[in-house]
Amino acid sequence: MASAFEKYFIRDFHIIEEALKSIDVEEMDKLVDACEEKLREGYKIVASGLGKNVPICDKFVGTMLSLGLNANFLHTNTAVHGDMGMVKPGDLVIILTKSGATAESVYLVDLLSKRKGVQLWLLSFKKHSILADKMENKLIITLKHEGDLWDVVPNHSTTINLIILQKVAMELSKRMGLNLDKDFRPNHPGGAIGALLSHEK
């Protein structure tokens, strides 16, 4: 008989699995294509979020930088206080917002949409929202439950955002033909990874 924890993990695994299966594969490919094109043209990928999506964006950017791929994190709150200056014409910005209606996110999209050459993407969980209805480029995920007591805590949604963004980074590493010795090893001189790679020379 499965324990309470086993039942919990099995249930949550299925919720996350169904959410990932709801993603439009063509739109996912389109996002990766757009990121690849921007990077090859010398532009950068910017991930923007607030609240519990902040560490998710930070992890994605950290992965990208470790691969030698140009990326930045733009906090949705501080963007309007000068940080928006990191976004240059030609860059691609991924906006993370579960509801697609957060005031700060809507305001930021309105501001960035006025900057020529900036490509905006939405990563959200509502098929219809202020941003979903107005943005051309978007990945919309169907999530049945957050996995908390009230279906309110950003739990499964942030996990799914992390999985998606990490997949983007992994696909880009393949498409860009990254090399362990040339692109990854130089960025990891320390820590357990640095020690491991130093023995493989």
Side-chain angles (χ1 to χ4, degrees):
M1 181 180 294
S3 68
F5 276 110
E6 287 175 323
K7 291 179 179 178
Y8 171 84
F9 288 124
I10 291 172
R11 181 199 66 187
D12 283 25
F13 171 81
H14 287 308
I15 292 174
I16 293 173
E17 181 182 34
E18 288 183 16
L20 291 173
K21 286 181 177 179
S22 75
I23 297 171
D24 187 319
V25 177
E26 291 185 0
E27 287 301 311
M28 183 71 180
D29 284 340
K30 183 180 175 183
L31 171 59
V32 178
D33 287 343
C35 289
E36 179 186 3
E37 181 179 352
K38 292 298 182 180
L39 291 173
R40 291 191 183 281
E41 292 176 349
Y43 302 113
K44 65 180 174 290
I45 311 303
V46 178
S48 182
L50 70 164
K52 301 304 183 292
N53 277 320
V54 169
I56 304 304
C57 293
D58 193 45
K59 175 62 173 71
F60 167 67
V61 170
T63 298
M64 292 283 284
L65 295 177
S66 74
L67 295 167
L69 300 176
N70 196 2
N72 276 116
F73 165 58
L74 176 63
H75 197 295
T76 309
N77 279 335
T78 60
V80 298
H81 297 285
D83 291 357
M84 196 165 58
M86 76 170 64
V87 181
K88 306 299 181 184
D91 290 342
L92 185 150
V93 182
I94 304 172
I95 305 290
L96 277 67
T97 164
K98 181 184 177 183
S99 68
T102 308
E104 297 91 337
S105 299
V106 173
Y107 185 39
L108 179 59
V109 168
D110 287 340
L111 293 172
L112 291 178
S113 64
K114 298 175 183 177
R115 295 198 170 190
K116 292 183 178 180
V118 174
Q119 185 174 149
L120 296 172
W121 275 82
L122 173 67
L123 184 53
S124 187
F125 292 80
K126 298 292 183 181
K127 185 175 182 180
H128 292 291
S129 66
I130 296 175
L131 290 181
D133 291 340
K134 73 190 298 184
M135 293 179 68
E136 177 182 357
N137 302 312
K138 55 201 169 190
L139 274 183
I140 306 298
I141 304 100
T142 300
L143 179 62
K144 290 185 176 180
H145 203 281
E146 282 283 12
D148 63 293
L149 292 174
W150 316 282
D151 191 23
V152 173
V153 178
N155 183 36
H156 290 335
S157 58
T158 52
T159 299
I160 292 165
N161 281 341
L162 179 61
I163 293 172
I164 292 173
L165 290 179
Q166 289 299 106
K167 184 58 177 176
V168 169
M170 296 302 101
E171 284 299 312
L172 288 172
S173 68
K174 295 177 184 178
R175 295 191 184 193
M176 302 294 287
L178 300 187
N179 179 273
L180 177 65
D181 292 322
K182 179 183 176 182
D183 302 301
F184 190 78
R185 192 193 302 272
N187 299 326
H188 292 83
I193 292 178
L196 173 65
L197 296 179
S198 67
H199 292 307
E200 295 183 358
K201 289 184 178 179

